[in-house]
Amino acid sequence: MSKGKFGIYGGQFIPETLMNAVNELETAYNHFKNDKQFNDELKYLLNEYAGRPSRLYFAKNATEKLGGAKIYLKREDLNHTGSHKINNVLGQTLLAKKMHKTRIIAETGAGQHGVAAATAAALFNMECEVFMGQKDIQRQALNVFRMQLLGAKVNFVKTGTKTLKDAVNQTMREWSSRIDDTFYVLGSAMGPYPYPEIVRDFQSIISKEIKEQLFEKESKLPSVVIACVGGGSNSIGAFYNFINDKKVKLIGCEAAGKGVDTPKTAATIARGRVGIFHGTKSYFCQTKNGQIAPAYSISAGLDYPGIGPEHAYLHETKRVEYISVTDKEAVESFEFLSKTEGIIPAIESAHAMYYAMQLAPKMSKDEIIVVCISGRGDKDVTMIADYKADYKDLQ
Ligand SMILES: Cc1ncc(COP(=O)(O)O)c(C=O)c1O
């Protein structure tokens, strides 16, 4: 595969003003990814600060209730700051420090990536600015307070749909206006090369650990690994070390929103077409004229009209199956996991859990499903309460 490409997907579709910054990033990453001191420092941070390895928990109650395959949960929700986002943020911020940058900027949807970036900036004594859509600021207010408390400046993005896509636009604009001292900590496996590879590499610790932990517990590979897909970072992290294990079925769950046949959806693979956006070639939800279509999901972290380029390739080559889960279904599994296991998942992760609930009863008891619980659900509790109040009459 040529540099920066996954089949025909990926690449660097960026304005000239960003070319130097992206080249500088590529050179630095290629150097430090093989640097022992860098890797030792990152390992120390992941273990001692973020709390890795995250647990691989056998969900006994859910398994018994669903009556089929054994369900294991990869507990990224237990990481410091409450999601998988910290894995990538610690890697990128350490890289920024090595590159002598003094300021990091980041986009955020659900606020988890913004919180992780603000946390790393506090730890490394760096300046931090986060860009977040006005709509997401309202539905994820808790995370806005957390970022501010951690010392970050949160910029409200009021353009477009006022969600993640607009936050990415604004962060890219900010980066091109100030590259000397600023590092863009991108939060998902998307954007121009080398970001999709950098984010995947830092998140691939998820599947590395799943493999080791499951081998210790069950002496075998899982039959299925399931993860939710926004831009695609927790999923590529959960899938990566299984891609060559052809017997392991990999399933990505996109947000169907109110249904893939409605305009209120974020199911990029189900509804999108190949296009170029945010510096990369991949699948994007588009209008007939090729403009980016507004995405919708109850989950701010999945409310993005695109998918990372490696996922586009894994879809095309049929190595990963992508399915869609509606808001209603995700809320059902959010409640199921809370009540059955005492684990309140992020609404994003509830999309993956829902599909596990459908699949497990159809599988045999000696098979294993691993679900990536990408984050914890505290941030979503009030939003779910509002959702339930709105739909009370319909239930
Ligand atoms: C908890 C959680 N899970 C999943 C996602 C989706 O992002 P990605 O597809 O990059 O994992 C987000 C994004 O904000 C998130 O906060």
Side-chain angles (χ1 to χ4, degrees):
M1 227 170 300
S2 61
K3 190 182 91 170
K5 287 289 193 70
F6 305 97
I8 63 160
Y9 306 103
Q12 284 178 321
F13 297 88
I14 48 175
E16 238 173 285
T17 44
L18 274 184
M19 218 45 219
N20 282 346
V22 166
N23 287 342
E24 187 193 9
L25 173 64
E26 181 188 348
T27 307
Y29 183 62
N30 284 340
H31 170 73
F32 284 108
K33 75 177 175 189
N34 299 315
D35 181 77
K36 183 172 177 325
Q37 196 188 340
F38 178 87
N39 285 307
D40 286 349
E41 277 178 58
L42 181 57
K43 190 170 179 197
Y44 177 83
L45 288 168
L46 289 169
N47 293 356
E48 299 299 321
Y49 188 69
R52 302 207 73 84
S54 68
R55 297 288 163 98
L56 183 70
Y57 172 72
F58 172 48
K60 186 165 174 284
N61 297 346
T63 300
E64 280 171 11
K65 213 163 196 170
L66 296 167
K70 274 184 156 176
I71 297 181
Y72 277 88
L73 307 177
K74 181 59 174 163
R75 301 284 313 272
E76 293 298 302
D77 57 313
L78 295 180
N79 297 340
H80 178 47
T81 71
S83 82
H84 69 293
K85 296 285 181 188
I86 194 79
N87 306 329
N88 167 49
V89 163
L90 286 175
Q92 285 197 41
T93 312
L94 185 63
L95 186 59
K97 198 81 185 168
K98 299 282 178 197
M99 291 168 72
H100 307 293
K101 304 288 179 186
T102 53
R103 176 176 178 257
I104 60 169
I105 55 173
E107 85 296 338
T108 199
Q112 288 301 131
H113 177 60
V115 167
T119 300
L123 179 70
F124 287 98
N125 191 23
M126 292 168 94
E127 205 186 315
C128 177
E129 278 191 49
V130 178
F131 295 83
M132 188 169 187
Q134 179 93 40
K135 182 175 166 197
D136 294 337
I137 281 174
Q138 279 153 8
R139 56 182 166 171
Q140 300 291 347
L142 177 67
N143 277 341
V144 178
F145 298 135
R146 288 172 79 197
M147 287 183 262
Q148 288 167 337
L149 191 64
L150 290 158
K153 181 173 177 217
V154 183
N155 296 294
F156 295 15
V157 178
K158 295 177 184 156
T159 47
T161 49
K162 306 181 181 65
T163 58
L164 182 55
K165 123 178 130 44
D166 311 287
V168 176
N169 287 343
Q170 195 56 38
T171 320
M172 282 191 164
R173 225 169 276 141
E174 175 68 21
W175 195 29
S176 54
S177 74
R178 189 171 158 185
I179 53 179
D180 284 353
D181 66 348
T182 299
F183 186 107
Y184 179 6
V185 178
L186 211 155
S188 196
M190 45 172 266
Y193 171 77
Y195 279 111
E197 284 187 27
I198 292 180
V199 178
R200 177 202 67 204
D201 290 351
F202 289 142
Q203 292 293 0
S204 64
I205 192 158
I206 302 175
S207 47
K208 181 173 175 285
E209 286 177 6
I210 295 175
K211 220 172 190 177
E212 290 165 0
Q213 291 167 321
L214 200 63
F215 204 76
E216 216 167 84
K217 289 173 195 291
E218 301 269 0
S219 305
K220 63 179 179 186
L221 289 168
S223 307
V224 184
V225 179
I226 309 180
C228 67
V229 188
S233 70
N234 86 91
S235 47
I236 201 70
F239 297 161
Y240 191 62
N241 287 289
F242 293 110
I243 288 176
N244 292 327
D245 298 314
K246 293 281 152 47
K247 282 194 194 140
V248 181
K249 205 166 175 199
L250 305 173
I251 299 176
C253 299
E254 296 192 304
K258 293 193 187 299
V260 286
D261 298 324
T262 74
K264 293 228 149 201
T265 183
T268 310
I269 292 286
R271 282 288 300 269
R273 299 199 307 278
V274 176
I276 290 168
F277 189 51
H278 287 157
T280 196
K281 183 170 182 174
S282 189
Y283 275 78
F284 297 97
C285 295
Q286 300 171 43
T287 64
K288 272 192 210 129
N289 303 327
Q291 294 299 313
I292 294 300
Y296 163 85
S297 164
I298 188 173
S299 137
L302 304 185
D303 194 347
Y304 180 69
I307 192 167
E310 193 162 8
H311 285 287
Y313 178 71
L314 291 169
H315 163 66
E316 189 182 274
T317 54
K318 298 192 166 51
R319 178 63 191 94
V320 177
E321 186 188 349
Y322 294 86
I323 58 98
S324 6
V325 174
T326 64
D327 290 355
K328 191 167 178 287
E329 293 166 338
V331 171
E332 186 188 321
S333 100
F334 182 90
E335 293 186 300
F336 173 83
L337 200 61
S338 304
K339 293 199 169 86
T340 313
E341 293 288 350
I343 295 170
I344 304 177
I347 188 66
E348 289 79 14
S349 326
H351 285 71
M353 186 61 209
Y354 179 80
Y355 197 65
M357 288 163 63
Q358 307 313 299
L359 208 54
K362 297 179 196 150
M363 291 169 62
S364 73
K365 286 189 184 323
D366 59 352
E367 291 185 289
I368 294 167
I369 299 177
V370 176
V371 185
C372 185
I373 302 298
S374 53
R376 67 175 185 227
D378 316 35
K379 65 182 180 55
D380 300 312
V381 169
T382 41
M383 190 256 310
I384 300 287
D386 291 347
Y387 174 89
K388 289 192 55 129
D390 285 350
Y391 287 86
K392 196 169 69 219
D393 299 338
L394 301 176
Q395 284 171 351

